[in-house]
Amino acid sequence: MAFKINPPYPIDNTPIYHVDMEDDVMGKANNNGTIIINKNVKPNQLPDVVAHEKIHIEQMKRGDLDYDDKNVYWMGKVYPRSEMNEGAHDLPWEAEAYKRTKNA
């Protein structure tokens, strides 16, 4: 007989790696479900950066966000990376992440 146990806590197994990154980049959500964080992020900033990047992971899982080396794809629209300031608050995927992590 099989049974299912529902834990009383949320399970989050998102792999997070701390790496060298450009100074103006704090973190990045990857297509493979991992998050990389700039190793120079201050400990008090870390929870906010991780929360922000987890929103992007969620956006990718639900199929709203994807990217490759040349473009970012948001809800069927193509945004050329060469024509944008990545991380800008007015980009739709960033607007959602900043709004939802405003008080994180």
Side-chain angles (χ1 to χ4, degrees), residues 15-65:
I16 299 173
Y17 303 98
H18 298 262
V19 299
D20 282 325
M21 299 177 80
E22 302 98 44
D23 288 336
D24 60 337
V25 177
M26 297 181 82
K28 179 183 173 191
N30 295 308
N31 287 337
N32 65 5
T34 63
I35 294 173
I36 56 175
I37 302 292
N38 189 324
K39 72 175 193 171
N40 296 320
V41 167
K42 296 176 183 169
N44 65 329
Q45 295 174 305
L46 187 59
D48 290 339
V49 175
V50 170
H52 180 97
E53 296 308 325
K54 283 184 178 182
I55 300 298
H56 293 318
I57 295 289
E58 179 186 315
Q59 292 168 332
M60 287 185 261
K61 284 181 180 179
R62 69 180 191 232
D64 292 342
L65 177 65

